[in-house]
């Protein structure tokens, strides 16, 4: 375990989107500088970072310059090329560590890991070809979802299967990539736990939030979530179990289905998470600062919630609502400074404070 | 009145210290970029800004480049050279406007302005020489304070006078600069109101905070302040009166002495103010975002307080307490990323959340 980073140190962030942007702002609150590694020339995180290295993730020279400019390295997305990590890890500490990435980069490995921990997931099977999908359908049943094992996000790389006739098209949609067949889970709603662990092994979790998705993209997160006290405690404990098993350092998002038979883990994300954005206006220390604290070797904030919040993503044309939202005294706007509005593009979010906790 | 700034626009900030840093972070929340104009090569605000122009305030070419890079210009300190404003004003809107600067750059003009508004100040007299100071002493009495009319901050350029014999040394301390003699005010405590006004003429004030100074430097601000409901309302109303009279756009700090005879205005600052830092953890929209909203032509946040807070400045060696403060779940740290710790230097502040409002 290394010493806590001193004020003035530089935190490297792989990825320059809105998560990197808000991580950079949180780092500044603790007196840190940030250096963003992101191929895109103009990216949301670069606007609020001390330095931006714009190079492909395959550029070994740029990766070395980046590592040497930083005291510690973290990331805003889990699909970092392994080759980049191979270089960076030899030069600087990278948090969260390799094991968390290995598990979360592959849906099949992730589900197996969770089951090994004794945690429930949807029934699943590996699918590489037509034989596999037929077997999976027979064993697990329908409806189901076929997903690429790797590189999926916001509903991309996913196809629903309603009947046997959907198999061929779904498989074609995977484009030859290894896939996972996931059985139907009869859940009433979805919640997520944003939890953090630091190098000292301390764990702190924020209150679970209740998520609503549309077209595979998160629309709203509401705290408090509709959960019994027992469910609430189960949710936090299982998140802690995952973090501890991975010897995790940083913030993780754990998505859970609430079912009559208990909580089922949907997926884990080894990073700050869209469903944790409410913490910016609900807690004294938000998920972004919590992550920075963890990777900087600092004590964690306690995660206590002072306010009830409904977080809503502003996607594409939702930006037209900004003038009205700005007039609403209960609303805190968080816009990402993206130049171009595109359908389905996350442009910002709004935290509506609905009352004291 | 101009249209509200659209997301992606650039806000120029004169001055690159901690106030510029926190303004820049607030601007990013609303999707704006910032460009900092600050002579120092490495400054706190530049770490979180999109661009930094490092040039003297007398560099006309640099000022023009700065203005052209920005959609609107604001500042973190009131002692901007008039010559710089002359150039910038021809190119871009500058908020708060010239009148506020003219009034607040000169303590004598400021007090006369406040009295003209019907607001009470300490008794005062202009002092340029030995004759003036003798007359002021006879008229206003002792104890008193002699201050430079311009360019004072954090207790600098101020000398206390306890007896007639202090006059000569005090005058020498002014170094020939025009001065103001301020009579003693018998106050029980000091409070400040952080108020904002936008171009539409809307005014919003945060709850008054109670300030404790030491050696001329603010140490703590506590909300709620010890005030009767009538005093609270008086404080907010007089701040609004000042803003309206100046046709002000932005956030202003108004320092008040609480006396048996009512509230007396100590001084006004045409910018975000150290005594408003508590709003970062006490309100949904803090003073920095409120200022950005005002200068961007946006609606103001409502300024409502969700938590009670004690803000404490971390000055010089107070930084040694950071590890302990980081472990305290009630504390939100805000560090400025200044490389060198110096005695009397503001290195950061901590907002201790003491409970729901």
């Amino acid at each position: 375990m290394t010493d806590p980073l001193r004020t003035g140190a530089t935190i490297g962030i792989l990825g320059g989107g809105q998560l990197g942007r808000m991580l950079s702002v949180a780092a500044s609150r603790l007196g840190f500088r940030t250096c963003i590694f992101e191929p895109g020339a103009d990216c949301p995180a670069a606007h609020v970072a001390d330095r931006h290295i714009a190079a492909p993730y395959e550029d070994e020279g740029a990766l070395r310059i980046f590592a040497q400019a930083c005291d510690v390295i973290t990331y805003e997305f889990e699909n970092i090329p392994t080759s980049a990590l191979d270089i960076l890890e030899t030069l600087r500490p990278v948090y969260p560590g390799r094991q968390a990435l290995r598990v979360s980069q592959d849906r099949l490995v992730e589900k197996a890991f969770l089951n090994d921990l004794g945690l429930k997931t949807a029934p699943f099977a590996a699918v590489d070809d037509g034989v596999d999908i037929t077997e999976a359908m027979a064993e697990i049943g329908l409806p189901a979802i076929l997903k690429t094992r790797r590189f999926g996000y916001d509903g991309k790389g996913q196809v629903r299967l309603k009947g046997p006739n959907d198999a061929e098209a779904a498989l074609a949609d995977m484009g030859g990539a290894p896939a996972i067949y996931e059985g139907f889970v009869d859940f009433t709603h979805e919640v997520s736990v944003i939890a953090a662990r630091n190098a000292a092994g301390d764990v702190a979790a924020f209150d679970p939030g209740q998520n609503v998705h549309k077209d595979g993209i998160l629309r709203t997160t509401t705290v408090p979530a509709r959960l019994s006290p027992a469910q609430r405690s189960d949710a936090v404990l299982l998140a802690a179990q995952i973090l501890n098993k991975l010897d995790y350092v940083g913030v993780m998002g754990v998505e859970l289905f609430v079912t009559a038979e208990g909580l089922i883990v949907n997926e884990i994300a080894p990073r700050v998470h869209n469903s944790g954005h409410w913490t910016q206006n609900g807690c004294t220390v938000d998920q972004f600062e919590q992550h920075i604290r963890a990777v900087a070797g600092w004590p964690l904030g306690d995660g206590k919630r002072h306010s009830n919040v409904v977080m809503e993503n502003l996607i594409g044309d939702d930006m037209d609502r900004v003038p009205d939202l700005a007039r609403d005294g209960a609303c805190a706007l968080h816009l990402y400074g993206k130049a171009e509005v595109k359908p389905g593009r996350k442009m910002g979010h709004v935290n509506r404070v609905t009352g004291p906790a």
Side-chain angles (χ1 to χ4, degrees), chain A residues 3 13 19 23 30 34 39 48 60 79 89 111 121 172 177 183 258 272 289 314 319 339 349 356:
Chain A
D3 283 340
I13 301 173
L19 301 182
L23 283 169
L30 301 183
T34 55
V48 286
E60 187 175 328
N79 293 320
E89 279 185 344
K111 285 213 163 33
T121 63
V258 183
V272 288
E289 180 173 330
L314 300 175
M319 286 296 282
H349 65 274

Side-chain angles (χ1 to χ4, degrees), chain A residues 73-303:
Chain A
I73 295 169
T74 188
Y75 43 86
E76 62 149 22
F77 71 118
E78 57 271 39
N79 293 320
I80 301 155
T82 303
S83 58
L85 288 169
D86 287 341
I87 295 164
L88 296 174
E89 279 185 344
T90 61
L91 298 167
R92 291 292 183 273
V94 179
Y95 299 121
R98 198 63 172 259
Q99 208 191 340
L101 279 170
R102 193 184 56 79
V103 165
S104 60
Q105 282 184 345
D106 185 323
R107 293 180 192 280
L108 190 75
V109 175
E110 181 177 308
K111 285 213 163 33
F113 163 79
L114 293 165
N115 288 174
D116 283 351
L117 263 183
L119 303 177
K120 288 184 211 162
T121 63
F124 65 95
V127 166
D128 292 329
D129 54 33
V131 175
D132 291 342
I133 200 167
T134 308
E135 283 182 8
M137 212 177 273
E139 193 188 324
I140 296 169
L142 286 162
I145 307 178
L146 194 68
K147 300 178 178 176
T148 52
R149 281 172 57 176
R150 298 170 65 89
F151 303 120
Y153 70 98
D154 281 352
K156 291 181 174 63
Q158 304 196 5
V159 187
R160 286 178 181 276
L161 296 127
K162 289 172 185 166
N165 296 337
D166 294 341
E168 198 177 342
L171 201 56
D173 245 45
M174 299 295 110
I180 180 172
Y181 185 101
E182 294 186 13
F184 178 72
V185 175
D186 186 17
F187 63 94
T188 55
H189 53 295
E190 193 206 292
V191 300
S192 56
V193 178
I194 308 299
R197 185 174 179 277
N198 65 8
D202 304 320
V203 173
F206 295 104
D207 253 7
Q210 184 166 336
N211 302 327
V212 175
H213 288 82
K214 197 180 154 192
D215 304 328
I217 302 179
L218 182 69
R219 299 308 299 227
T220 63
T221 300
T222 301
V223 282
R226 185 158 51 85
L227 288 174
S228 68
Q231 286 171 324
R232 200 172 299 271
S233 141
D234 279 357
V236 168
L237 288 173
L238 74 81
Q241 204 183 340
I242 295 169
L243 296 181
N244 285 330
K245 183 67 178 182
L246 294 170
D247 196 19
Y248 193 82
V249 174
V251 159
M252 174 181 277
V254 180
E255 293 185 10
L256 302 167
F257 294 131
V258 183
T259 78
E261 289 77 41
L263 300 173
I264 289 184
V265 184
N266 177 28
E267 62 177 36
I268 63 175
R271 52 169 169 79
V272 288
H273 196 259
N274 195 164
S275 69
H277 291 0
W278 67 266
T279 58
Q280 293 172 311
N281 297 96
C283 303
T284 297
V285 169
D286 68 18
Q287 68 162 345
F288 301 99
E289 180 173 330
Q290 195 72 301
H291 185 77
I292 295 294
R293 282 171 171 249
V295 305
W298 278 41
L300 299 176
D302 72 358

